[in-house]
Amino acid sequence: MPADLLSPAELEARLRDVGARRYHSLHPFQIRLQSGQCSRTEVEAWALNRYLYQACIPQKDAQILARMENADDRRAWRQRIVDHDGEHEGEGGIAKWLKLTDDLGLDRETVTSGRLALPATKFAVTSYISFVRDRPLTEAVASSLTELFSPSVIKVRSEGMLANYDYVTPETLAYFNKRPVQAKRDSDFALAYVTEHARTRAEQDAVIAALEFKCSMLWTMLDALEHAYIYAKPWPDAFHAEDGAARQAAE
Amino acid sequence: MPADLLSPAELEARLRDVGARRYHSLHPFQIRLQSGQCSRTEVEAWALNRYLYQACIPQKDAQILARMENADDRRAWRQRIVDHDGEHEGEGGIAKWLKLTDDLGLDRETVTSGRLALPATKFAVTSYISFVRDRPLTEAVASSLTELFSPSVIKVRSEGMLANYDYVTPETLAYFNKRPVQAKRDSDFALAYVTEHARTRAEQDAVIAALEFKCSMLWTMLDALEHAYIYAKPWPDAFHAEDGAARQAAE
């Protein structure tokens, strides 16, 4: 074993440290969202933009599935696609995200077409898909390890949104109900996978960098929302207040 | 000819209208840069981030070159790669951009590695490369048509930067000297190409959308600079004031 190789416990500690320093639970927009300070338009813009991230997850996972040479690995990984696409129309994580955008009063075609999403959101999603397709498979798997950190942020965000926005109900946030259990199962698998397959210190460092990349992608999506809807203006063709509840209230 | 097909003059007018509404000459950061309101750190961050865009241009053009089936087209298009890569080391547009970052006191390895660039810049560049690789060739060519608009912005920006920043000399901005003539030649070719190859209204609309995509990419890079260096904070691993002249001044 190379002298500089991290032990499994050391590698896990380094990965958890990435989350402690870089996960989007630390982002000002996330804190604003869960503490009730977001306007209705900001909540709508968040849900509409994040839909593109949610919708890309099965495609991202299919890229990884297509590169796995071992049937055991593929059997485990394909469950992620089932979780997000469901067994039937109207089931699965993407459909549950549309329940959220439905309850916010957003038009389904507007959401699913992505035509009012911020360009920055689209670039982040494109880059995520490119990363898992073009980088070594171990790094692609490692980029999913934000699921090590998601259960805690889901609880805080869901409780905060329910307490602070009267238009948000438990049914609105149904997407998040199953995610902590799924994320625990998925991150257990991915952590074991990268621990087994990253066999040099350079590969271990690349695994850590892959998780930093993923954190930067989630962080940058919130940067773009914060810039467009709080500090400056959205790209002219993107979602504006009058595309959401503000329009209905004015009518 | 389909009744709804745009004439060549109508198509060109629609393309020029995209520039009038969406080109980054309208972006607040661009106006700040050319009017002398940017701090030294903001100018450095602009040059360091935009390097990644400059550096991707020959790769972008090679993706297009690789898909052209006609030798006449390839002979015309390959000149773009020569312009940016030069005939010899130290020549061409990328080398001239490094003259700019050199004069700003930025370390070459820091610039060329991209390690201090904003994640949003990297995502925009990745998405530009993906666009020209994955979309129909006519749309890939159309995405270069921002060169219809660049000569005017180059003049305003160069004159403004020379007048307002005492650390910027004509040599610092040498990159921009040849660009107006090159951009005119290149956009003449690209405009003729898309006019000839977009033969349905749907293809013409896709050409217009490709130019809007490219404008959104240039705009979003400036959004990210504005957010990181004016309104909020840069991603922790990205360029900070102390990575530039502010460090040298403090030493």
Side-chain angles (χ1 to χ4, degrees), chain B:
Chain B
M1 190 173 100
D4 63 348
L5 199 70
L6 301 172
S7 70
E10 287 170 333
L11 178 60
E12 179 174 347
R14 289 284 303 277
L15 291 166
R16 290 192 182 278
D17 181 58
V18 171
R21 293 181 297 107
R22 300 287 182 262
Y23 193 52
H24 64 170
S25 54
L26 302 169
H27 195 285
F29 191 92
Q30 183 81 9
I31 293 164
R32 182 180 174 101
L33 178 67
Q34 69 203 19
S35 63
Q37 297 169 72
C38 276
S39 69
R40 175 73 182 254
T41 296
E42 290 164 27
V43 175
E44 291 167 349
W46 168 75
L48 177 140
N49 277 274
R50 187 165 154 152
Y51 171 82
L52 290 192
Y53 169 68
Q54 298 299 142
C56 93
I57 291 175
Q59 295 175 293
K60 178 272 290 184
D61 284 321
Q63 290 281 358
I64 293 174
L65 192 62
R67 300 171 66 193
M68 286 180 151
E69 296 181 357
N70 177 303
D72 281 340
D73 291 337
R74 288 197 300 268
R75 273 189 290 269
W77 204 268
R78 77 182 190 213
Q79 185 58 40
R80 294 170 177 252
I81 299 175
V82 174
D83 289 343
H84 281 85
D85 281 339
E87 295 287 353
H88 304 283
E89 190 178 350
E91 300 176 357
I94 297 174
K96 285 187 186 150
W97 198 269
L98 288 171
K99 169 68 175 158
L100 166 56
T101 56
D102 283 351
D103 281 11
L104 290 173
L106 297 168
D107 174 66
R108 281 223 171 180
E109 186 278 331
T110 300
V111 174
T112 57
S113 68
R115 65 183 177 80
L116 296 188
L118 293 168
T121 304
K122 298 177 185 178
F123 300 157
V125 167
T126 296
S127 297
Y128 187 30
I129 298 280
S130 295
F131 187 93
V132 300
R133 186 191 59 212
D134 298 339
R135 302 292 303 173
L137 182 57
T138 304
E139 294 175 42
V141 169
S143 70
S144 75
L145 282 170
T146 41
E147 291 182 323
L148 287 171
F149 323 125
S150 65
S152 62
V153 69
I154 285 173
K155 183 172 189 301
V156 172
R157 183 174 46 212
S158 292
E159 289 179 359
M161 290 183 72
L162 282 169
N164 289 300
Y165 304 112
D166 58 13
Y167 50 89
V168 171
T169 70
E171 293 70 38
T172 308
L173 300 179
Y175 170 76
F176 296 110
N177 291 346
K178 289 191 177 172
R179 289 303 302 150
V181 170
Q182 293 170 346
K184 173 71 168 64
R185 177 204 65 206
D186 290 346
S187 60
D188 283 350
F189 177 89
L191 185 58
Y193 187 96
V194 302
T195 302
E196 180 186 344
H197 288 83
R199 298 190 174 179
T200 67
R201 179 58 187 267
E203 287 171 352
Q204 291 181 324
D205 286 344
V207 157
I208 294 163
L211 183 55
E212 288 172 342
F213 162 83
K214 173 70 172 300
C215 286
S216 81
M217 181 254 175
L218 295 170
W219 189 277
T220 297
M221 289 199 297
L222 296 184
D223 270 356
L225 285 168
E226 183 177 58
H227 185 264
Y229 295 100
I230 299 173
Y231 291 127
K233 291 179 187 170
W235 172 247
D237 300 321
F239 183 80
H240 285 69
E242 56 269 31
D243 296 311
R247 169 185 48 76
Q248 295 148 24
E251 277 171 359

Side-chain angles (χ1 to χ4, degrees), chain A:
Chain A
M1 190 174 98
D4 63 349
L5 199 71
L6 300 172
S7 70
E10 287 170 334
L11 177 61
E12 179 174 346
R14 289 284 302 276
L15 292 167
R16 291 191 181 279
D17 181 58
V18 171
R21 293 181 296 108
R22 299 287 182 263
Y23 193 52
H24 64 170
S25 55
L26 302 168
H27 195 285
F29 190 93
Q30 183 81 9
I31 293 163
R32 182 179 174 101
L33 178 68
Q34 69 203 18
S35 62
Q37 296 170 73
C38 276
S39 69
R40 175 72 182 255
T41 297
E42 290 164 27
V43 175
E44 291 167 351
W46 168 75
L48 178 141
N49 276 275
R50 186 163 156 155
Y51 171 81
L52 290 191
Y53 169 68
Q54 298 299 142
C56 94
I57 291 174
Q59 296 174 293
K60 177 272 292 185
D61 284 320
Q63 290 282 359
I64 293 173
L65 191 63
R67 301 173 65 194
M68 286 179 150
E69 297 180 358
N70 176 305
D72 281 340
D73 292 336
R74 288 197 299 269
R75 275 189 289 270
W77 204 268
R78 76 183 190 214
Q79 185 58 40
R80 294 169 177 252
I81 299 176
V82 174
D83 289 343
H84 280 86
D85 281 339
E87 294 288 354
H88 305 283
E89 190 180 345
E91 300 176 355
I94 296 174
K96 285 186 185 151
W97 198 269
L98 288 171
K99 169 69 175 156
L100 166 58
T101 57
D102 283 351
D103 281 12
L104 291 173
L106 297 168
D107 173 65
R108 280 225 171 178
E109 186 279 330
T110 299
V111 173
T112 56
S113 69
R115 65 183 177 81
L116 297 187
L118 294 168
T121 304
K122 297 177 185 178
F123 301 157
V125 167
T126 297
S127 297
Y128 187 29
I129 298 279
S130 295
F131 186 94
V132 300
R133 185 191 60 212
D134 298 338
R135 302 290 305 173
L137 183 57
T138 304
E139 295 173 41
V141 169
S143 70
S144 75
L145 282 169
T146 41
E147 292 182 322
L148 286 171
F149 323 125
S150 65
S152 62
V153 69
I154 286 173
K155 183 171 190 297
V156 171
R157 182 173 47 209
S158 293
E159 289 178 358
M161 290 183 73
L162 283 169
N164 290 300
Y165 304 113
D166 57 14
Y167 50 90
V168 171
T169 69
E171 293 71 38
T172 308
L173 300 180
Y175 170 76
F176 296 111
N177 291 346
K178 289 190 176 172
R179 289 304 303 152
V181 169
Q182 292 169 346
K184 172 71 167 64
R185 176 204 66 206
D186 290 346
S187 61
D188 283 351
F189 177 89
L191 184 59
Y193 187 96
V194 302
T195 302
E196 180 185 344
H197 289 83
R199 297 190 175 179
T200 68
R201 179 57 187 267
E203 287 171 350
Q204 291 181 325
D205 287 343
V207 157
I208 294 163
L211 183 55
E212 289 172 340
F213 162 83
K214 174 69 173 301
C215 286
S216 80
M217 180 254 175
L218 295 170
W219 188 276
T220 296
M221 289 199 296
L222 296 184
D223 270 355
L225 286 168
E226 184 177 59
H227 185 262
Y229 296 101
I230 300 172
Y231 290 126
K233 292 178 185 170
W235 171 246
D237 301 320
F239 183 80
H240 285 69
E242 56 270 30
D243 296 310
R247 170 184 49 75
Q248 294 146 25
E251 280 171 356

